[in-house]
Amino acid sequence: MADHYQMLGVERDAGTEEIKKAYRRLARQYHPDVNPGDASAEARFREITQAYEVLCDPERRARYDRYGSDEDQGFQGFGGGGTAGTGGLGDLFDAFFGGGSPFGGGGGGRGRPMGPPAGADIETVLDLTFEEAVFGARKDVDVRTAVACEVCEATGAKPGTTVDTCPDCKGVGQVRRVRQSILGQMVTTGPCNRCGGMGQVIPDPCSNCRGEGRVREARTFTVDVPAGVDTGTTLKLGGKGEVGPRGGRAGDLYTHVRVRDHARFTRDGLELHHRQPISVAQAALGTKLAYETLDGTEELVVARGTPTGTVLRLRDKGVPDVHGRGRGDLLVELVVDTPNDLNEEQEHLLRQFAALRGEAVADPDHGLFSKIRSAFR
């Protein structure tokens, strides 16, 4: 039989994590579900699983390193009259399904200490002005969350009393159950019912937190909003979520950004857009406008004979990239504003202008309605 180290492709001094990594890579490659009907792949899978189970068990590995064999090794499937080794299967389920092996804990079936569970994550919404989203800001968010109980210092026990090790699981938080079936002896591992997987029991709970080790209170956190965020951006504050019961680590705080609309500008990615009206005379003769951007006043040069729909681009006056890779532009679309409130003198001059250019225009309206309209000007 091939050497276990060679089978997994690791050195003889490889650590447990390196061995696990090598096994998971090979298990994905040779698993029977990945190679249906391939007998050689199935045989290879059994061999690498056998090698993994030996090298990840300190006692069996020491015996293998000393004698070159281990008598009680072997991948026995789900029957065979013996207790199936569950270390390889547990890590295989980790590799394919992210955990949750139905065969119990890893490491040769030994229960892993569970301890206090982590706290839950929190989600909240942060409203920003358009300018705050573009340039960034420091904003406070208020949440109601679970925090460590100060009375019992998160132990869950009444001050002056102690927390006891669970007598059922001996502090591991898990218990092994062996049952006999027609397929052989099956070993499963699950949370201890007495301590709920904590590994500890509290004879005299804290009255303030009722044994939870945490209480709910209002908290305020400051969020550093980077420049360039937009509606839908989520900002994470690690460790600012709910603390876990009895000293369990805290979850995270996820802040979902919501940006208000701007009175003038619309956003398209990193670009800003605006429709700027100009008069007929300005479009025909050209002009210079004092134009207000988000950064301040810029001079906007309108060339002679500019048609409506002309777009002027102001470089680097748009939205910064949230990752710091430059800034977008501001696009100003010029829209010629046709006057509809001419007085008699202005209309007369405009008719003269049309006549000089040989342009046909409608006759002047001197009817009753025109006189009434003129009376109210």
Side-chain angles (χ1 to χ4, degrees):
M1 182 178 290
D3 179 78
H4 287 337
Y5 293 98
Q6 293 179 357
M7 181 65 64
L8 295 178
V10 297
E11 300 294 332
R12 302 192 73 84
D13 59 351
T16 302
E17 288 303 317
E18 184 179 352
I19 293 173
K20 286 183 178 181
K21 184 177 180 181
Y23 169 72
R24 289 169 179 165
R25 175 177 55 81
L26 293 170
R28 290 190 182 98
Q29 180 178 354
Y30 292 105
H31 191 271
D33 289 346
V34 181
N35 304 275
D38 189 338
S40 61
E42 183 176 354
R44 183 68 183 275
F45 175 73
R46 291 176 180 271
E47 291 175 346
I48 62 177
T49 301
Q50 175 179 313
Y52 169 78
E53 290 181 345
V54 172
L55 298 184
C56 273
D57 187 308
E59 295 179 3
R60 297 175 70 180
R61 182 176 181 179
R63 186 164 59 248
Y64 178 79
D65 288 342
R66 178 174 296 182
Y67 302 111
S69 66
D70 60 302
E71 295 179 356
D72 61 346
Q73 64 178 311
F75 181 85
Q76 301 180 37
F78 304 108
T83 301
T86 59
L89 287 172
D91 280 322
L92 183 60
F93 272 78
D94 286 342
F96 280 94
F97 306 110
S101 167
F103 304 103
R110 292 173 175 83
R112 297 172 181 171
M114 296 182 67
D121 296 331
I122 303 175
E123 294 183 278
T124 187
V125 175
L126 177 61
D127 288 310
L128 299 176
T129 66
F130 198 86
E131 289 82 358
E132 287 172 337
V134 171
F135 296 114
R138 286 176 60 86
K139 303 287 289 185
D140 290 339
V141 293
D142 299 320
V143 296
R144 188 165 182 81
T145 182
V147 300
C149 176
E150 296 180 355
V151 175
C152 65
E153 298 181 344
T155 63
K158 182 179 179 180
T161 65
T162 59
V163 177
D164 296 340
T165 299
C166 176
D168 290 2
C169 66
K170 305 300 187 290
V172 176
Q174 294 179 332
V175 291
R176 298 179 61 193
R177 299 176 180 88
V178 181
R179 65 183 180 87
Q180 200 72 28
S181 71
I182 59 174
L183 299 176
Q185 195 178 57
M186 300 293 291
V187 180
T188 60
T189 304
C192 174
N193 293 330
R194 182 163 185 171
C195 66
M198 294 285 191
Q200 299 173 331
V201 292
I202 302 177
D204 197 355
C206 170
S207 60
N208 185 54
C209 64
R210 300 178 182 177
E212 274 274 310
R214 59 181 183 170
V215 293
R216 300 195 69 81
E217 293 182 0
R219 285 286 188 269
T220 299
F221 298 105
T222 300
V223 180
D224 289 316
V225 181
V229 299
D230 200 359
T231 295
T233 299
T234 298
L235 305 175
K236 174 184 175 182
L237 274 69
K240 300 301 183 182
E242 295 186 354
V243 300
R246 301 188 202 171
R249 68 174 180 84
D252 301 322
L253 171 60
Y254 292 91
T255 303
H256 304 296
V257 171
R258 186 168 57 191
V259 182
R260 302 188 189 102
D261 292 334
H262 194 272
R264 296 174 58 222
F265 300 112
T266 58
R267 178 175 175 175
D268 182 11
L270 300 183
E271 290 184 343
L272 292 179
H273 294 261
H274 178 231
R275 290 167 59 87
Q276 174 64 39
I278 58 175
S279 69
V280 174
Q282 289 172 327
L285 304 177
T287 187
K288 293 181 180 180
L289 303 175
Y291 183 80
E292 289 296 328
T293 71
L294 293 178
D295 298 87
T297 304
E298 294 284 330
E299 185 178 71
L300 203 63
V301 179
V302 180
R304 292 172 61 94
T306 295
T308 190
T310 298
V311 177
L312 302 181
R313 183 182 295 270
L314 299 181
R315 299 286 182 183
D316 299 325
K317 297 300 178 183
V319 180
D321 181 85
V322 72
H323 301 294
R325 295 190 290 265
R327 186 173 176 181
D329 301 331
L330 168 58
L331 277 62
V332 183
E333 180 183 358
L334 301 177
V335 181
V336 178
D337 187 11
T338 303
N340 56 10
D341 57 349
L342 298 174
N343 58 35
E344 290 186 3
E345 182 180 3
Q346 292 170 340
E347 182 176 338
H348 177 70
L349 291 174
L350 195 56
R351 288 184 178 280
Q352 286 184 318
F353 172 77
L356 290 173
R357 292 181 56 85
E359 298 173 349
V361 296
D363 293 333
D365 182 9
H366 295 305
L368 175 62
F369 291 106
S370 177
K371 293 179 182 180
I372 294 175
R373 184 169 63 247
S374 299
F376 286 94
R377 286 179 179 175

